[in-house]
Amino acid sequence: MSACSQHGAHAARLAGLRALLARRNLAGCLVPRSDEHLGEYVPPAAERLAWLSGFTGSAGLAVVLADRAVLFTDGRYMLQAAAETDPSLWERRHGQEEPPERWLAQAAPGARIGYDPMLISGSALARFASAGLEMVPFAAAGNAGPGAERNPIDLLWADRPAPPLAICRPHPLAFAGEESEAKRARLGAALAAGGEDAAVLSDPASINWLLNIRGRDLAFTPVALGFALLFSDGRLSLFMAEEKVPPETLAWLGPAVTVAPPSALGNALAALSGRRVRVDPAGTAVWFADTLTASGAAVSAGPDPCRLPKACKNETEQAGARAAQLRDAAALVRFLAWFAEAGGSGKETECSAAARLLAFRRALSGFAGESFPAISAAGEHGAIIHYRASPASNRPIRANEVYLIDSGAQFPEGTTDVTRTVWTGPAEPAPELAERFTRVLAGHIALATLRFPEGTTGPALDALARRPLWDRGLDYDHGTGHGVGSFLSVHEGPAGISRHAEAVPLEAGMILSDEPGFYLPGAYGIRLENLLLVQPTEKNPADGPSGKPFLRFETLTLAPFARRLIRPELLSPAALAWLDAYHTRVRNTVGAALSAPERTWLETETVPFL
Amino acid sequence: MSACSQHGAHAARLAGLRALLARRNLAGCLVPRSDEHLGEYVPPAAERLAWLSGFTGSAGLAVVLADRAVLFTDGRYMLQAAAETDPSLWERRHGQEEPPERWLAQAAPGARIGYDPMLISGSALARFASAGLEMVPFAAAGNAGPGAERNPIDLLWADRPAPPLAICRPHPLAFAGEESEAKRARLGAALAAGGEDAAVLSDPASINWLLNIRGRDLAFTPVALGFALLFSDGRLSLFMAEEKVPPETLAWLGPAVTVAPPSALGNALAALSGRRVRVDPAGTAVWFADTLTASGAAVSAGPDPCRLPKACKNETEQAGARAAQLRDAAALVRFLAWFAEAGGSGKETECSAAARLLAFRRALSGFAGESFPAISAAGEHGAIIHYRASPASNRPIRANEVYLIDSGAQFPEGTTDVTRTVWTGPAEPAPELAERFTRVLAGHIALATLRFPEGTTGPALDALARRPLWDRGLDYDHGTGHGVGSFLSVHEGPAGISRHAEAVPLEAGMILSDEPGFYLPGAYGIRLENLLLVQPTEKNPADGPSGKPFLRFETLTLAPFARRLIRPELLSPAALAWLDAYHTRVRNTVGAALSAPERTWLETETVPFL
């Protein structure tokens, strides 16, 4: 019943939006999931797409026309989009296989399409414009215009939550590893070397990394939301609600950082007239470049200058990542030991199991929250790649089924993200299921054991993790790995191990996930995820000559892979040797934090195969 | 001595070029290897780069400044460039690791740099312009201007050869598989669907494929050089010296194809005023777009419309490829059998061995020449990736060394390209050498046995062939595979298996090489190359569900891999099974064309490992 009334509300919202579009003489509009920081996680005040459509996934774009409304998302979210949106209102399409601009150019050639310039990047907007559409901003460059020009959703959304105003605090040097002043001097000098006077920073993760601050504006990413201008002399203007910045933080920021409210941003950009300012065309809302250009500044298209340095963790952050992983591993292994008994009992549900894991994590020192909403998925729910158990979807975990748990934690030392897939028993799993599990594991190990020359990009490695599945005509519809922040976002660019990731060379210090999977809709999902740290290799005399330095991965995550689902005869001797060594390492490092029964379970689970 | 006098000539040429540049108030100029078709193989009349620098490789770009001259090439040619050019005149750089525009922007920021608009693509020119250089065309758009505006090399090059004028002949339907009229109708309709009135075709391979004609203007690629305009109604204007088109060919072309001399091109483009014309920004000289724009036509940037359809061989071409490979295999296997006796005798040289292979090929019915200059490389010469034995470099092939032979043939049915690496004996090869050979073979087999989902691109597969080498810190500085034409160019786009290849999905009917290698400069080179044909897979019930169709590779090339260099214990059981099955296939298919002693050798060489 509540689902019905929600669908009724969504029909009314869509009708309201269409009425406003018609009044503005627009054939349609874009409603992206992103907020003005174009990030993956957004505060409730920015959940416009969910308010309009019901879809709550972390990536999506709605295209609303007078007679059609289409929700574009990707392979991770196709099933979730179908479950959350009303088919009588919404078509759902795969935005990677069918880009929205291409669909829209065919459905409404040359049409007038409205967009909010604070919610779309210059690159994304250019794709729609290149497809021949007439793109009309809701508000002109500069400060927002009168009400009629505002984002129509904001006009319709009566009970829209207030923006978050959590306090922003120092991120001590013991975790950050480099003074903000040194970071700003380094990045400012690089701007100067490129003839740039300043750079727009619109990604809160970049600003929080650069200033060594953290906040609590988002549920899972410990950032304070804001904007910034970094100048080539290392000074920085921070645009953030002043009540979020207490005296302690102001002192920590130091005299070279000024703080002003976000409403001062338009004037600050206008003051850059005649200067050359870098704006990330893909990562920053197009409003910034438009406003700078309108003010007489020269816009220099280039990546967010924090993006690559932030991704390459320094020695302190690397040591922190290892410490965070070891601490987090105790919670996950205790959970897995508990689940081995309780999981198939029929008494637990997806929600109760997730709560149990969270309780184990809450007992960890320094635990600062989950790094994303845990995916606790039994049976067929595991095939919904980014499933989130809710009171409506929650179901008991039953005997003899597959259970997938993908979760992570935030610690000041670092961010974790780990997925394990287990079998509840007591019967033995079907050989076909175990074969598929083992092929996913073989792909995981293929990446974990890789050595590769400097200059290799993430997209070039994606197929290595897929091959064991490809050999049987199987695949998974998501990337193999994403970058992970250091007490920041669990999804961090620029590097990723995916055909859709940017082709940036992997560099020492980057942390990436390794998470191949296999999904059988309506039946089960398998995903096996560890985090890997890119490391230089030592020269091995047996390697012979090579002009290029090589890199390797250090596995950071410590948790056993489900023994009952492994068919060792399908793994190569080298892969089995890696697995045995990894399990030995898990035993030796995590064991000390466990109770005697937990340790016994871990020892049984990790008996060597060879 | 002759080398010295050549270097003296090159110094004088460089000085002459610099004098002309100074007179035109240019700080420098670009001298690309390409001709006005931007192809890989060029007639002697277009060998400007070789005339200026001495470098004869098939890919390169010279940047000449008043005080520095730099030759940019790639990993295949770095050693050759060093050997062929005078270090007192030329610096050599790796253009993929250090793009020429980036080097030039640092060496001469903002400088006035001359270029020939007939010899550079719009995309390449834009990279120089974006780097802040002032790019000055030698001749304005439209017909060539007066002498002072012409390419200075053409003014200096007194004994420049005449352009080729070979006769152009029909390529019968028994080989082409589809009528030109059908191809033109199909491609013209696609232009019309995209709102385009015409397309510029500047790649002779595209024109020869589209018109089902072949010529002899180039030494290794059986094309007639020319330009064309394809119209959306399927008509075509061919710009080709009229003496190259005899009545028989005119009749074959039919009434919808008009022939005019290349000098009529400027006026023909001017007549497109007001029309929308597709020009390939990466594959067509920028002169075309400039001339169209100056004439009031709308230039639509898009790929050469023949590129993808030409790459996807039809059933007739696929059958032809198999027939050509089988015929060619007889020559190569006879050569390898002969070499097993003669190679280590000390009586043969690189040139005599290549001549022997060519003699075996000349005996084949339908043989229409080599598809590229054969690489016959003993010992250390094998490490020069595109080595070509010349009278000056030729050396005896000695006992107990590595010999590499990379060669190919043109047949009306198809084009071949194959590389084998052998050991001359009589001693056993060093275990380390055999290990490296076996790792190259493992990489070759990893690709040959691959199944992959539709939509997968070539760059995504490159690492699969490198992994066995990467595992030991080894690599090779060239792509793993390139597309191959059908009685056309041995290097054909758009697909390739290389990090530098375009990210186009592989499609059924494409022919690609699979040629990993390993090179130890000063010692030896290993490369193992077969051609693979992309094929759909049959559905295997054991595969389980998968939303996507899968593709696989059919190995076309038939020749044994050198048994003495294989260490079977380093290959997986699956790889050994593939190798045994492949060798059995070689014995069963090629054996019939051999003499009894040759067949005996082949049988010994291909005894199963398992």
PDB file of all heavy atoms in Angstrom, chain B residues 4-20 51-54 64 86 88-90 152-153 155-157:
ATOM      1  N   CYS B   4      79.370   7.614 -45.176  1.00  0.00           N
ATOM      2  CA  CYS B   4      79.853   8.965 -44.896  1.00  0.00           C
ATOM      3  C   CYS B   4      79.308   9.959 -45.912  1.00  0.00           C
ATOM      4  O   CYS B   4      78.820  11.031 -45.555  1.00  0.00           O
ATOM      5  CB  CYS B   4      81.375   9.009 -44.932  1.00  0.00           C
ATOM      6  SG  CYS B   4      82.101   8.436 -43.390  1.00  0.00           S
ATOM      7  N   SER B   5      79.393   9.602 -47.179  1.00  0.00           N
ATOM      8  CA  SER B   5      78.944  10.557 -48.191  1.00  0.00           C
ATOM      9  C   SER B   5      77.441  10.779 -48.065  1.00  0.00           C
ATOM     10  O   SER B   5      76.949  11.881 -48.260  1.00  0.00           O
ATOM     11  CB  SER B   5      79.315  10.060 -49.589  1.00  0.00           C
ATOM     12  OG  SER B   5      78.492   8.978 -49.951  1.00  0.00           O
ATOM     13  N   GLN B   6      76.697   9.711 -47.661  1.00  0.00           N
ATOM     14  CA  GLN B   6      75.270   9.914 -47.420  1.00  0.00           C
ATOM     15  C   GLN B   6      75.060  10.920 -46.294  1.00  0.00           C
ATOM     16  O   GLN B   6      74.226  11.806 -46.380  1.00  0.00           O
ATOM     17  CB  GLN B   6      74.612   8.579 -47.025  1.00  0.00           C
ATOM     18  CG  GLN B   6      74.099   7.767 -48.182  1.00  0.00           C
ATOM     19  CD  GLN B   6      72.968   8.455 -48.939  1.00  0.00           C
ATOM     20  OE1 GLN B   6      73.218   9.228 -49.871  1.00  0.00           O
ATOM     21  NE2 GLN B   6      71.738   8.198 -48.541  1.00  0.00           N
ATOM     22  N   HIS B   7      75.849  10.761 -45.223  1.00  0.00           N
ATOM     23  CA  HIS B   7      75.691  11.701 -44.120  1.00  0.00           C
ATOM     24  C   HIS B   7      76.030  13.117 -44.566  1.00  0.00           C
ATOM     25  O   HIS B   7      75.390  14.067 -44.154  1.00  0.00           O
ATOM     26  CB  HIS B   7      76.557  11.269 -42.928  1.00  0.00           C
ATOM     27  CG  HIS B   7      75.930  10.154 -42.150  1.00  0.00           C
ATOM     28  ND1 HIS B   7      76.594   9.442 -41.206  1.00  0.00           N
ATOM     29  CD2 HIS B   7      74.680   9.645 -42.200  1.00  0.00           C
ATOM     30  CE1 HIS B   7      75.783   8.536 -40.695  1.00  0.00           C
ATOM     31  NE2 HIS B   7      74.616   8.627 -41.292  1.00  0.00           N
ATOM     32  N   GLY B   8      77.036  13.233 -45.436  1.00  0.00           N
ATOM     33  CA  GLY B   8      77.342  14.561 -45.969  1.00  0.00           C
ATOM     34  C   GLY B   8      76.157  15.116 -46.735  1.00  0.00           C
ATOM     35  O   GLY B   8      75.774  16.277 -46.554  1.00  0.00           O
ATOM     36  N   ALA B   9      75.524  14.262 -47.555  1.00  0.00           N
ATOM     37  CA  ALA B   9      74.343  14.703 -48.303  1.00  0.00           C
ATOM     38  C   ALA B   9      73.239  15.125 -47.346  1.00  0.00           C
ATOM     39  O   ALA B   9      72.574  16.143 -47.557  1.00  0.00           O
ATOM     40  CB  ALA B   9      73.851  13.577 -49.218  1.00  0.00           C
ATOM     41  N   HIS B  10      73.042  14.339 -46.257  1.00  0.00           N
ATOM     42  CA  HIS B  10      71.967  14.685 -45.332  1.00  0.00           C
ATOM     43  C   HIS B  10      72.240  16.004 -44.625  1.00  0.00           C
ATOM     44  O   HIS B  10      71.313  16.760 -44.351  1.00  0.00           O
ATOM     45  CB  HIS B  10      71.761  13.551 -44.326  1.00  0.00           C
ATOM     46  CG  HIS B  10      71.155  12.331 -44.959  1.00  0.00           C
ATOM     47  ND1 HIS B  10      71.598  11.058 -44.730  1.00  0.00           N
ATOM     48  CD2 HIS B  10      70.152  12.217 -45.855  1.00  0.00           C
ATOM     49  CE1 HIS B  10      70.884  10.208 -45.444  1.00  0.00           C
ATOM     50  NE2 HIS B  10      69.991  10.886 -46.135  1.00  0.00           N
ATOM     51  N   ALA B  11      73.512  16.287 -44.337  1.00  0.00           N
ATOM     52  CA  ALA B  11      73.834  17.578 -43.716  1.00  0.00           C
ATOM     53  C   ALA B  11      73.491  18.718 -44.668  1.00  0.00           C
ATOM     54  O   ALA B  11      72.911  19.738 -44.268  1.00  0.00           O
ATOM     55  CB  ALA B  11      75.317  17.619 -43.332  1.00  0.00           C
ATOM     56  N   ALA B  12      73.812  18.541 -45.934  1.00  0.00           N
ATOM     57  CA  ALA B  12      73.530  19.602 -46.911  1.00  0.00           C
ATOM     58  C   ALA B  12      72.026  19.796 -47.073  1.00  0.00           C
ATOM     59  O   ALA B  12      71.536  20.924 -47.200  1.00  0.00           O
ATOM     60  CB  ALA B  12      74.160  19.242 -48.258  1.00  0.00           C
ATOM     61  N   ARG B  13      71.273  18.686 -47.067  1.00  0.00           N
ATOM     62  CA  ARG B  13      69.813  18.797 -47.224  1.00  0.00           C
ATOM     63  C   ARG B  13      69.191  19.542 -46.037  1.00  0.00           C
ATOM     64  O   ARG B  13      68.312  20.388 -46.200  1.00  0.00           O
ATOM     65  CB  ARG B  13      69.205  17.395 -47.361  1.00  0.00           C
ATOM     66  CG  ARG B  13      69.569  16.742 -48.678  1.00  0.00           C
ATOM     67  CD  ARG B  13      69.231  15.259 -48.723  1.00  0.00           C
ATOM     68  NE  ARG B  13      69.832  14.658 -49.906  1.00  0.00           N
ATOM     69  CZ  ARG B  13      69.822  13.358 -50.179  1.00  0.00           C
ATOM     70  NH1 ARG B  13      69.248  12.510 -49.355  1.00  0.00           N
ATOM     71  NH2 ARG B  13      70.393  12.908 -51.272  1.00  0.00           N
ATOM     72  N   LEU B  14      69.659  19.185 -44.854  1.00  0.00           N
ATOM     73  CA  LEU B  14      69.139  19.840 -43.661  1.00  0.00           C
ATOM     74  C   LEU B  14      69.466  21.339 -43.696  1.00  0.00           C
ATOM     75  O   LEU B  14      68.610  22.185 -43.384  1.00  0.00           O
ATOM     76  CB  LEU B  14      69.766  19.165 -42.424  1.00  0.00           C
ATOM     77  CG  LEU B  14      69.064  19.263 -41.071  1.00  0.00           C
ATOM     78  CD1 LEU B  14      67.595  18.890 -41.152  1.00  0.00           C
ATOM     79  CD2 LEU B  14      69.780  18.341 -40.067  1.00  0.00           C
ATOM     80  N   ALA B  15      70.683  21.654 -44.115  1.00  0.00           N
ATOM     81  CA  ALA B  15      71.070  23.070 -44.211  1.00  0.00           C
ATOM     82  C   ALA B  15      70.205  23.793 -45.240  1.00  0.00           C
ATOM     83  O   ALA B  15      69.758  24.935 -45.024  1.00  0.00           O
ATOM     84  CB  ALA B  15      72.552  23.178 -44.568  1.00  0.00           C
ATOM     85  N   GLY B  16      69.956  23.128 -46.360  1.00  0.00           N
ATOM     86  CA  GLY B  16      69.116  23.739 -47.392  1.00  0.00           C
ATOM     87  C   GLY B  16      67.703  23.998 -46.886  1.00  0.00           C
ATOM     88  O   GLY B  16      67.113  25.063 -47.132  1.00  0.00           O
ATOM     89  N   LEU B  17      67.161  23.017 -46.151  1.00  0.00           N
ATOM     90  CA  LEU B  17      65.814  23.184 -45.600  1.00  0.00           C
ATOM     91  C   LEU B  17      65.790  24.351 -44.616  1.00  0.00           C
ATOM     92  O   LEU B  17      64.888  25.194 -44.651  1.00  0.00           O
ATOM     93  CB  LEU B  17      65.387  21.882 -44.904  1.00  0.00           C
ATOM     94  CG  LEU B  17      64.030  21.919 -44.176  1.00  0.00           C
ATOM     95  CD1 LEU B  17      62.901  22.290 -45.134  1.00  0.00           C
ATOM     96  CD2 LEU B  17      63.739  20.577 -43.505  1.00  0.00           C
ATOM     97  N   ARG B  18      66.804  24.431 -43.766  1.00  0.00           N
ATOM     98  CA  ARG B  18      66.824  25.513 -42.770  1.00  0.00           C
ATOM     99  C   ARG B  18      66.909  26.875 -43.434  1.00  0.00           C
ATOM    100  O   ARG B  18      66.297  27.848 -42.960  1.00  0.00           O
ATOM    101  CB  ARG B  18      67.995  25.300 -41.807  1.00  0.00           C
ATOM    102  CG  ARG B  18      67.692  24.195 -40.801  1.00  0.00           C
ATOM    103  CD  ARG B  18      68.884  23.834 -39.951  1.00  0.00           C
ATOM    104  NE  ARG B  18      68.444  23.006 -38.823  1.00  0.00           N
ATOM    105  CZ  ARG B  18      69.180  22.049 -38.259  1.00  0.00           C
ATOM    106  NH1 ARG B  18      70.406  21.800 -38.719  1.00  0.00           N
ATOM    107  NH2 ARG B  18      68.705  21.361 -37.242  1.00  0.00           N
ATOM    108  N   ALA B  19      67.668  26.958 -44.540  1.00  0.00           N
ATOM    109  CA  ALA B  19      67.771  28.236 -45.246  1.00  0.00           C
ATOM    110  C   ALA B  19      66.401  28.658 -45.776  1.00  0.00           C
ATOM    111  O   ALA B  19      65.991  29.819 -45.671  1.00  0.00           O
ATOM    112  CB  ALA B  19      68.786  28.127 -46.385  1.00  0.00           C
ATOM    113  N   LEU B  20      65.648  27.691 -46.347  1.00  0.00           N
ATOM    114  CA  LEU B  20      64.313  28.024 -46.873  1.00  0.00           C
ATOM    115  C   LEU B  20      63.364  28.428 -45.748  1.00  0.00           C
ATOM    116  O   LEU B  20      62.544  29.328 -45.904  1.00  0.00           O
ATOM    117  CB  LEU B  20      63.731  26.824 -47.633  1.00  0.00           C
ATOM    118  CG  LEU B  20      64.252  26.610 -49.057  1.00  0.00           C
ATOM    119  CD1 LEU B  20      63.517  25.444 -49.714  1.00  0.00           C
ATOM    120  CD2 LEU B  20      64.065  27.872 -49.906  1.00  0.00           C
ATOM    121  N   TRP B  51      64.630  10.966 -47.536  1.00  0.00           N
ATOM    122  CA  TRP B  51      65.532  11.832 -48.296  1.00  0.00           C
ATOM    123  C   TRP B  51      66.237  12.819 -47.359  1.00  0.00           C
ATOM    124  O   TRP B  51      67.449  13.034 -47.460  1.00  0.00           O
ATOM    125  CB  TRP B  51      64.715  12.597 -49.359  1.00  0.00           C
ATOM    126  CG  TRP B  51      65.541  13.579 -50.151  1.00  0.00           C
ATOM    127  CD1 TRP B  51      66.302  13.318 -51.257  1.00  0.00           C
ATOM    128  CD2 TRP B  51      65.685  14.983 -49.893  1.00  0.00           C
ATOM    129  NE1 TRP B  51      66.915  14.451 -51.698  1.00  0.00           N
ATOM    130  CE2 TRP B  51      66.560  15.497 -50.880  1.00  0.00           C
ATOM    131  CE3 TRP B  51      65.164  15.838 -48.925  1.00  0.00           C
ATOM    132  CZ2 TRP B  51      66.925  16.846 -50.925  1.00  0.00           C
ATOM    133  CZ3 TRP B  51      65.525  17.185 -48.961  1.00  0.00           C
ATOM    134  CH2 TRP B  51      66.392  17.675 -49.956  1.00  0.00           C
ATOM    135  N   LEU B  52      65.475  13.347 -46.401  1.00  0.00           N
ATOM    136  CA  LEU B  52      66.041  14.371 -45.522  1.00  0.00           C
ATOM    137  C   LEU B  52      66.952  13.783 -44.449  1.00  0.00           C
ATOM    138  O   LEU B  52      68.025  14.312 -44.162  1.00  0.00           O
ATOM    139  CB  LEU B  52      64.903  15.153 -44.852  1.00  0.00           C
ATOM    140  CG  LEU B  52      65.329  16.265 -43.876  1.00  0.00           C
ATOM    141  CD1 LEU B  52      66.005  17.407 -44.640  1.00  0.00           C
ATOM    142  CD2 LEU B  52      64.133  16.783 -43.091  1.00  0.00           C
ATOM    143  N   SER B  53      66.519  12.653 -43.858  1.00  0.00           N
ATOM    144  CA  SER B  53      67.191  12.176 -42.647  1.00  0.00           C
ATOM    145  C   SER B  53      67.951  10.876 -42.835  1.00  0.00           C
ATOM    146  O   SER B  53      68.824  10.553 -42.032  1.00  0.00           O
ATOM    147  CB  SER B  53      66.141  11.961 -41.546  1.00  0.00           C
ATOM    148  OG  SER B  53      65.314  10.854 -41.875  1.00  0.00           O
ATOM    149  N   GLY B  54      67.587  10.077 -43.844  1.00  0.00           N
ATOM    150  CA  GLY B  54      68.150   8.743 -43.983  1.00  0.00           C
ATOM    151  C   GLY B  54      67.285   7.662 -43.359  1.00  0.00           C
ATOM    152  O   GLY B  54      67.426   6.482 -43.669  1.00  0.00           O
ATOM    153  N   VAL B  64      62.166  19.935 -37.471  1.00  0.00           N
ATOM    154  CA  VAL B  64      63.415  20.625 -37.786  1.00  0.00           C
ATOM    155  C   VAL B  64      63.320  22.057 -37.280  1.00  0.00           C
ATOM    156  O   VAL B  64      62.399  22.799 -37.648  1.00  0.00           O
ATOM    157  CB  VAL B  64      63.677  20.603 -39.307  1.00  0.00           C
ATOM    158  CG1 VAL B  64      64.939  21.393 -39.645  1.00  0.00           C
ATOM    159  CG2 VAL B  64      63.790  19.166 -39.796  1.00  0.00           C
ATOM    160  N   ASP B  86      72.408  10.279 -38.768  1.00  0.00           N
ATOM    161  CA  ASP B  86      73.692  10.798 -38.287  1.00  0.00           C
ATOM    162  C   ASP B  86      73.461  11.485 -36.934  1.00  0.00           C
ATOM    163  O   ASP B  86      72.718  12.469 -36.856  1.00  0.00           O
ATOM    164  CB  ASP B  86      74.217  11.799 -39.322  1.00  0.00           C
ATOM    165  CG  ASP B  86      75.581  12.363 -38.925  1.00  0.00           C
ATOM    166  OD1 ASP B  86      75.982  12.213 -37.758  1.00  0.00           O
ATOM    167  OD2 ASP B  86      76.226  12.966 -39.809  1.00  0.00           O
ATOM    168  N   SER B  88      75.211  13.437 -35.333  1.00  0.00           N
ATOM    169  CA  SER B  88      75.632  14.843 -35.262  1.00  0.00           C
ATOM    170  C   SER B  88      74.565  15.758 -35.864  1.00  0.00           C
ATOM    171  O   SER B  88      74.588  16.969 -35.660  1.00  0.00           O
ATOM    172  CB  SER B  88      76.974  15.033 -35.983  1.00  0.00           C
ATOM    173  OG  SER B  88      76.789  14.946 -37.383  1.00  0.00           O
ATOM    174  N   LEU B  89      73.637  15.157 -36.616  1.00  0.00           N
ATOM    175  CA  LEU B  89      72.570  15.959 -37.215  1.00  0.00           C
ATOM    176  C   LEU B  89      71.232  15.762 -36.492  1.00  0.00           C
ATOM    177  O   LEU B  89      70.451  16.698 -36.365  1.00  0.00           O
ATOM    178  CB  LEU B  89      72.371  15.558 -38.685  1.00  0.00           C
ATOM    179  CG  LEU B  89      73.562  15.728 -39.622  1.00  0.00           C
ATOM    180  CD1 LEU B  89      73.223  15.181 -41.006  1.00  0.00           C
ATOM    181  CD2 LEU B  89      73.959  17.204 -39.722  1.00  0.00           C
ATOM    182  N   TRP B  90      70.972  14.520 -36.030  1.00  0.00           N
ATOM    183  CA  TRP B  90      69.620  14.149 -35.595  1.00  0.00           C
ATOM    184  C   TRP B  90      69.591  13.640 -34.160  1.00  0.00           C
ATOM    185  O   TRP B  90      70.358  12.763 -33.800  1.00  0.00           O
ATOM    186  CB  TRP B  90      69.045  13.055 -36.522  1.00  0.00           C
ATOM    187  CG  TRP B  90      68.744  13.575 -37.883  1.00  0.00           C
ATOM    188  CD1 TRP B  90      69.574  13.559 -38.978  1.00  0.00           C
ATOM    189  CD2 TRP B  90      67.550  14.245 -38.295  1.00  0.00           C
ATOM    190  NE1 TRP B  90      68.976  14.178 -40.049  1.00  0.00           N
ATOM    191  CE2 TRP B  90      67.715  14.611 -39.659  1.00  0.00           C
ATOM    192  CE3 TRP B  90      66.355  14.570 -37.653  1.00  0.00           C
ATOM    193  CZ2 TRP B  90      66.734  15.292 -40.372  1.00  0.00           C
ATOM    194  CZ3 TRP B  90      65.374  15.233 -38.373  1.00  0.00           C
ATOM    195  CH2 TRP B  90      65.571  15.584 -39.717  1.00  0.00           C
ATOM    196  N   PRO B 152      58.964  22.974 -48.880  1.00  0.00           N
ATOM    197  CA  PRO B 152      60.368  23.291 -49.203  1.00  0.00           C
ATOM    198  C   PRO B 152      61.170  22.058 -49.594  1.00  0.00           C
ATOM    199  O   PRO B 152      62.115  22.167 -50.376  1.00  0.00           O
ATOM    200  CB  PRO B 152      60.890  23.927 -47.910  1.00  0.00           C
ATOM    201  CG  PRO B 152      59.906  23.611 -46.849  1.00  0.00           C
ATOM    202  CD  PRO B 152      58.595  23.407 -47.531  1.00  0.00           C
ATOM    203  N   ILE B 153      60.791  20.897 -49.070  1.00  0.00           N
ATOM    204  CA  ILE B 153      61.533  19.686 -49.457  1.00  0.00           C
ATOM    205  C   ILE B 153      61.374  19.412 -50.939  1.00  0.00           C
ATOM    206  O   ILE B 153      62.320  19.056 -51.639  1.00  0.00           O
ATOM    207  CB  ILE B 153      61.045  18.487 -48.633  1.00  0.00           C
ATOM    208  CG1 ILE B 153      61.212  18.812 -47.159  1.00  0.00           C
ATOM    209  CG2 ILE B 153      61.740  17.195 -49.063  1.00  0.00           C
ATOM    210  CD1 ILE B 153      61.807  17.788 -46.297  1.00  0.00           C
ATOM    211  N   LEU B 155      61.005  21.528 -53.215  1.00  0.00           N
ATOM    212  CA  LEU B 155      61.818  22.490 -53.956  1.00  0.00           C
ATOM    213  C   LEU B 155      63.284  22.082 -53.960  1.00  0.00           C
ATOM    214  O   LEU B 155      64.005  22.291 -54.928  1.00  0.00           O
ATOM    215  CB  LEU B 155      61.678  23.891 -53.334  1.00  0.00           C
ATOM    216  CG  LEU B 155      60.270  24.491 -53.387  1.00  0.00           C
ATOM    217  CD1 LEU B 155      60.225  25.800 -52.612  1.00  0.00           C
ATOM    218  CD2 LEU B 155      59.850  24.722 -54.836  1.00  0.00           C
ATOM    219  N   LEU B 156      63.718  21.481 -52.850  1.00  0.00           N
ATOM    220  CA  LEU B 156      65.137  21.130 -52.706  1.00  0.00           C
ATOM    221  C   LEU B 156      65.477  19.806 -53.375  1.00  0.00           C
ATOM    222  O   LEU B 156      66.612  19.574 -53.773  1.00  0.00           O
ATOM    223  CB  LEU B 156      65.488  21.019 -51.217  1.00  0.00           C
ATOM    224  CG  LEU B 156      65.417  22.306 -50.393  1.00  0.00           C
ATOM    225  CD1 LEU B 156      65.429  21.999 -48.907  1.00  0.00           C
ATOM    226  CD2 LEU B 156      66.583  23.228 -50.758  1.00  0.00           C
ATOM    227  N   TRP B 157      64.490  18.910 -53.460  1.00  0.00           N
ATOM    228  CA  TRP B 157      64.725  17.515 -53.873  1.00  0.00           C
ATOM    229  C   TRP B 157      64.772  17.463 -55.404  1.00  0.00           C
ATOM    230  O   TRP B 157      63.767  17.251 -56.066  1.00  0.00           O
ATOM    231  CB  TRP B 157      63.593  16.643 -53.317  1.00  0.00           C
ATOM    232  CG  TRP B 157      63.785  15.174 -53.453  1.00  0.00           C
ATOM    233  CD1 TRP B 157      64.797  14.510 -54.086  1.00  0.00           C
ATOM    234  CD2 TRP B 157      62.917  14.152 -52.945  1.00  0.00           C
ATOM    235  NE1 TRP B 157      64.625  13.161 -53.983  1.00  0.00           N
ATOM    236  CE2 TRP B 157      63.482  12.901 -53.287  1.00  0.00           C
ATOM    237  CE3 TRP B 157      61.730  14.164 -52.220  1.00  0.00           C
ATOM    238  CZ2 TRP B 157      62.876  11.699 -52.936  1.00  0.00           C
ATOM    239  CZ3 TRP B 157      61.141  12.966 -51.880  1.00  0.00           C
ATOM    240  CH2 TRP B 157      61.705  11.731 -52.227  1.00  0.00           C
TER     241      TRP B 157
END
